[in-house]
Amino acid sequence: MNLNHPWKKNVLKRLILSFICILLPLYILSMIIYNWGVRTLKDEISKSMISQVSQYYSGLEEEFKRIQTLQYDVLSDDNLNALGAIPESMNDIEKMQSILRLQQRLNAIRNSSAYIVDVYAYIPAIQKNVSALTISTFDSQEFNEFKNIPLSLDAKLINVNGKTYLSASYPFVTPESKKWPIFIVAIEISKEKLKENLKMMVNSPGEGLIFKSSQFEITTSHDAHFDLETAAQMLSNVDNSTAQTVAIEDKQYLAVYSYSHFFGAVLSKYVPVHAVFQPLEKYRSWFVLLAAVSFVIIVIYSLYVYKYIHKPLYKLVKAFRKVEHGDFDEQIDHDFNDEFQYIYTRFNAMLDNLKSLIDQVYKQQLLTHKAELKQLQSQINPHFLYNSFFILNTMTRLGDYDNLERFTNQLGEYFQFVTRGDSDEVLLGKEVNHAKVYSEIQAMRFAKRNRVEFGDLPDHAGHIMVPRLILQPIIENAFKYGLEKKSANGILRVQIVRDQNELQLIVEDNGEELDDEQLRILNECLFRPDEAETTGLLNIHQRVRLKFGKDSGLYMERSELGGLKATIRIVITDGGM
């Protein structure tokens, strides 16, 4: 199918429009259902992840609050206070007994939670480090590190020499204080146990958690290529009220973030987006299948519409185009017994009736216009003829033989054009030349009263075929009604102007007897065929419109010179200029 034809382009546009009108609602509905499912699943997973993180935090905080309570209870232990405050009041056996009893209590604390590796009591007074498992020499360096930890009302895990502790000193002192605490109780926390506990929250490959504060960081992930540092930085900016999608190493993750004031730490959990939306893949497959089936249905429907509707319509329009160009012998037929067969039959009958009407009306109308033209050609103004003879007599009597020769040649050309023209149309160059000859004759007649300004014909315009005698009658009308009664300074101006595909033949004068009411009546008469007073002008107007279309014709207005301005507009629509 040749798509360069305008009608076939319209057919293609209609097929596309039909395709859009039917498939678009299906696509939109499917996308709404799919997106609704994605949002619902995301919301449910978000709520589940937030609940899981919150429950984990809640349980972990309760456990460490219990451990912290046991730690604070140890600070008031009699054995620890005696060893730390008044060791000189005890002999070596009593000191050892107090140390063993203290060690038993520390061991009880250690055994109370799987998160505790060991419990240490740093006692400067006896230069001993007592733990649940060992008794060692006092480590002043570790003691100073615990001592210099900023005081906080929250129980926060701290990092000392790569290990994680819960620390408490007695009495409480600030790092700026010059006093030393009597003793410090530090509970070492097992990162491995915390990590094992975190792994219980990982349900599928690709998931991971990051438990991080300024003092420690615990991470877990099944993805060996996962950048934990980048993830920690990205996930720390996630809103803690809902799950959000973040990009880490060109991968999309659904992440939640929660902050614990107790630990002074954040817990972030991430889940790969592709794993989250894996259950929706089957719906996407159904959607693709629906789209493919819809497309096939639309193609089949479009082919059906093209064969049984658009193609017969195109055939009918093609026949109408031939009729528009004057081919009234076109006959069309249809193979199917449907509505188009009836339309084709009536179209053929219409053409037969139209040919008869053309013979009776249209051709008769053309003959009428030809008769009117012949009548105009045969109407030689007696006054023009008499005045011409008088001018000839005067030139002969005065011996003005040069002007006499030119004048007689002009009269010959004028009457030859008027009386011997068999064709209804002439070249515009000949029509303009005839009008110019007539203007020069009249200029010679009114040489002392009027001046004629006749413009040149634009290039490549003289070959246009125009109705015969359209310009000279307008010039004659200007002399008769506009300039004949002027005693001096009369001006007749003729211009031919071309503007793209439009040609304007302008005749204007400086006659003074035309008022606005006469101008209005004159314009109305051009559109009233029953007005007998303007038969000549009306004939010109109708013939120009019949030849060049309804946008062409004769238009009247007031001239800048003061008189009448008559413009013949010729619009060429087929590239004739």
Side-chain angles (χ1 to χ4, degrees), residues 356-547:
S356 299
L357 290 174
I358 289 175
D359 291 337
Q360 298 175 13
V361 179
Y362 180 70
K363 290 183 179 180
Q364 185 63 34
Q365 185 180 10
L366 292 179
L367 290 175
T368 301
H369 284 295
K370 289 182 181 180
E372 290 176 351
L373 177 60
K374 296 299 181 182
Q375 181 183 7
L376 285 174
Q377 290 176 318
S378 64
Q379 288 178 347
I380 301 175
N381 191 327
H383 294 288
F384 174 77
L385 184 60
Y386 299 155
N387 290 327
S388 299
F389 286 141
F390 288 144
I391 293 172
L392 286 172
N393 180 50
T394 301
M395 289 180 177
T396 303
R397 182 164 43 82
L398 295 176
D400 188 2
Y401 298 114
D402 292 335
N403 286 329
L404 177 63
E405 182 181 2
R406 183 167 62 88
F407 185 72
T408 54
N409 286 333
Q410 290 174 342
L411 281 178
E413 290 182 19
Y414 172 80
F415 286 113
Q416 182 181 21
F417 187 88
V418 170
T419 59
R420 294 187 180 180
D422 296 330
S423 175
D424 295 335
E425 295 183 352
V426 295
L427 294 174
L428 178 60
K430 291 185 177 181
E431 177 68 20
V432 171
N433 183 68
H434 170 69
K436 188 173 183 180
V437 169
Y438 176 78
S439 300
E440 291 175 352
I441 294 173
Q442 290 290 57
M444 190 171 294
R445 175 187 171 192
F446 300 105
K448 297 181 180 181
R449 293 187 292 164
N450 299 323
R451 183 177 79 255
V452 177
E453 300 175 359
F454 207 104
D456 295 330
L457 184 66
D459 296 337
H460 309 295
H463 67 282
I464 300 174
M465 297 297 294
V466 298
R468 190 183 186 87
L469 286 175
I470 57 174
L471 184 56
Q472 180 262 325
I474 298 176
I475 297 175
E476 182 180 354
N477 185 76
F479 275 109
K480 182 176 180 180
Y481 296 103
L483 300 176
E484 192 170 22
K485 295 182 180 181
K486 291 186 71 68
S487 58
N489 299 323
I491 299 175
L492 175 72
R493 182 180 294 164
V494 180
Q495 301 178 81
I496 299 95
V497 180
R498 183 175 68 180
D499 182 13
Q500 295 182 355
N501 66 331
E502 181 177 321
L503 196 66
Q504 296 182 357
L505 284 61
I506 304 171
V507 180
E508 52 185 333
D509 59 69
N510 64 343
E512 300 176 354
E513 299 189 4
L514 181 68
D515 55 29
D516 292 338
E517 181 63 21
Q518 289 175 325
L519 183 61
R520 184 187 63 79
I521 294 174
L522 194 59
N523 274 304
E524 289 182 355
C525 290
L526 291 178
F527 299 93
R528 289 186 185 176
D530 57 339
E531 292 289 340
E533 290 80 7
T534 55
T535 301
L537 296 179
L538 178 61
N539 182 276
I540 293 171
H541 176 69
Q542 290 181 340
R543 286 191 295 134
V544 171
R545 295 190 73 182
L546 184 64
K547 169 67 177 176

Side-chain angles (χ1 to χ4, degrees), residues 320-379:
F320 270 111
R321 291 186 183 276
K322 289 185 177 180
V323 173
E324 287 177 357
H325 290 84
D327 184 3
F328 298 100
D329 296 325
E330 178 72 12
Q331 295 289 316
I332 53 178
D333 54 359
H334 192 58
D335 298 333
F336 303 99
N337 185 18
D338 55 12
E339 291 80 359
F340 281 105
Q341 188 180 63
Y342 173 78
I343 294 175
Y344 285 8
T345 302
R346 302 315 304 160
F347 175 83
N348 295 333
M350 179 195 70
L351 284 186
D352 294 336
N353 294 333
L354 188 59
K355 285 190 288 187
S356 299
L357 290 174
I358 289 175
D359 291 337
Q360 298 175 13
V361 179
Y362 180 70
K363 290 183 179 180
Q364 185 63 34
Q365 185 180 10
L366 292 179
L367 290 175
T368 301
H369 284 295
K370 289 182 181 180
E372 290 176 351
L373 177 60
K374 296 299 181 182
Q375 181 183 7
L376 285 174
Q377 290 176 318
S378 64
Q379 288 178 347

